[in-house]
């Protein structure tokens, strides 16, 4: 089967791509970019490139899947810089819920200049516990919980706000 590459596409030609769960190398491949979207990755021999496609020859390069950083405080970084350095997903592990979950939602929109963001929201801690008074942590980074009964309520609030994980 021959795939045809056409207008409004950029084709990366000749690299080795590491593909799939086991990072199987596909040598001398074609990677198609359609706007901000990654298209199929095919062997060069299986693809016919039309004159309308913009071709970038990238022989000698190895293309990797995007990296995941599982512990960030994304507000300390420029999301665009994180993305251009190859990190396509981050997990924020502590920030005021009123700030972080709006950024999480924006990261899911077309054209967001940064990685996909998932977040914990506030860090659950005992009264006065870390990071309630940490110099790096803006006010509201910690949710100080005085008794075990209150913990369930705070966890439910974080879940409802969009938390993917709870940090204690």
């Amino acid at each position: 089967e021959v795939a045809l590459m056409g207008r409004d596409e950029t084709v990366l030609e000749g690299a080795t791509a590491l593909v799939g769960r086991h990072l199987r190398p596909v040598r001398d491949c074609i990677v198609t970019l359609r706007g901000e979207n990654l298209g199929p990755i095919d062997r060069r021999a299986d693809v016919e490139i039309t004159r309308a496609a913009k071709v970038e020859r990238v022989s000698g390069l190895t293309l990797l899947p995007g990296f995941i950083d599982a512990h960030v405080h994304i507000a300390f970084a420029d999301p665009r810089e994180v993305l251009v350095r190859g990190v396509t997903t981050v997990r924020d592990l502590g920030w005021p819920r009123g700030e972080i979950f709006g950024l999480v939602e924006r990261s899911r929109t077309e054209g967001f200049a940064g990685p996909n963001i998932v977040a914990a929201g506030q860090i659950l801690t005992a009264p006065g516990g870390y990071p309630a008074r940490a110099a790096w942590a803006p006010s509201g980074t910690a949710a100080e919980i005085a008794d075990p009964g209150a913990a369930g309520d705070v966890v439910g609030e974080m879940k409802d706000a969009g938390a993917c994980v709870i940090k204690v």
Side-chain angles (χ1 to χ4, degrees), residues 78-144:
D78 175 352
R80 180 186 305 270
E81 290 297 315
V82 171
L83 183 63
V84 300
R85 284 172 171 64
V87 178
T88 57
T89 300
V90 298
R91 181 177 63 188
D92 189 287
L93 287 180
W95 209 252
R97 82 175 94 159
E99 297 176 29
I100 192 60
F101 292 117
L103 186 57
V104 167
E105 288 303 314
R106 286 194 304 281
S107 79
R108 295 177 181 153
T109 62
E110 184 83 23
F112 177 72
N116 179 53
I117 302 169
V118 296
Q122 293 173 289
I123 300 170
L124 281 59
T125 191
Y130 182 82
R133 291 173 181 72
W136 68 265
S139 177
T141 298
E144 298 178 70

Side-chain angles (χ1 to χ4, degrees), residues 38-115:
L38 181 65
I41 299 173
D42 297 297
R43 288 185 15 242
R44 174 67 183 101
D46 296 336
V47 178
E48 181 180 326
I49 301 171
T50 66
R51 291 183 190 193
K54 178 182 175 189
V55 178
E56 298 285 338
R57 289 179 181 31
V58 292
S59 297
L61 296 181
T62 301
L63 306 176
L64 306 170
F67 291 100
I68 298 170
D69 190 333
H71 188 159
V72 303
H73 301 281
I74 192 67
F76 290 133
D78 175 352
R80 180 186 305 270
E81 290 297 315
V82 171
L83 183 63
V84 300
R85 284 172 171 64
V87 178
T88 57
T89 300
V90 298
R91 181 177 63 188
D92 189 287
L93 287 180
W95 209 252
R97 82 175 94 159
E99 297 176 29
I100 192 60
F101 292 117
L103 186 57
V104 167
E105 288 303 314
R106 286 194 304 281
S107 79
R108 295 177 181 153
T109 62
E110 184 83 23
F112 177 72

Side-chain angles (χ1 to χ4, degrees), residues 3-10 32-40:
L4 293 173
M5 305 295 135
R7 239 185 317 229
D8 300 325
E9 295 180 332
T10 300
T32 307
L33 305 171
R34 295 181 177 117
E36 295 181 358
N37 298 309
L38 181 65

